Amino acid sequence: MSDYNPHAPLSLEDRRRRLVFRSWHRGIKELDLIFGNFVEANVATFSDDDCAWFERLFEEQDHEILAWVTGGAPEPDDFKGEMMDRLKKLDFMTLKAR
């Protein structure tokens, strides 16, 4: 019998790995580039709270997230703060598509 439990909490390192994958596979190429580059550049320093913020954000609709990040619409209060401010700068972008 296996000890595998799909409902067991993930370690911080596993959450970070999952965020990298999810950041490059959003569905809208623009978000793939924004999130993929941002997460890859910063994931090594993400805390549990940072991971939780992204996990919540990734549950939102792509077109809404894109509007929030690019300034087309104000982000909800739940996502305001340092992490969204860093995303909006887009100073981490490189032209690298996957």
Side-chain angles (χ1 to χ4, degrees):
M1 187 155 209
S2 172
D3 290 335
Y4 176 69
N5 177 355
H7 304 292
L10 294 175
S11 69
L12 179 58
E13 192 57 38
D14 286 340
R15 289 174 77 191
R16 288 173 175 166
R17 276 195 294 274
R18 184 173 63 181
L19 284 177
V20 170
F21 179 84
R22 290 184 72 194
S23 69
W24 282 111
H25 298 88
R26 292 296 308 166
I28 294 179
K29 194 60 173 176
E30 293 85 352
L31 280 182
D32 289 352
L33 293 169
I34 291 168
F35 284 145
N37 282 291
F38 184 84
V39 170
E40 278 192 359
N42 297 286
V43 74
T45 63
F46 282 0
S47 66
D48 282 312
D49 288 341
D50 296 333
C51 289
W53 187 88
F54 268 102
E55 290 162 354
R56 283 191 338 272
L57 183 66
F58 284 175
E59 297 303 316
E60 300 296 323
Q61 296 295 312
D62 287 348
H63 66 280
E64 291 177 356
I65 298 170
L66 187 58
W68 302 335
V69 172
T70 60
E75 68 272 14
D77 290 342
D78 288 352
F79 296 110
K80 287 185 180 183
E82 186 229 346
M83 193 68 78
M84 183 62 77
D85 292 343
R86 290 171 58 196
L87 271 169
K88 286 180 167 184
K89 285 183 182 178
L90 299 176
D91 60 354
F92 51 86
M93 292 293 298
T94 60
L95 297 176
K96 167 176 91 168
R98 290 193 172 186

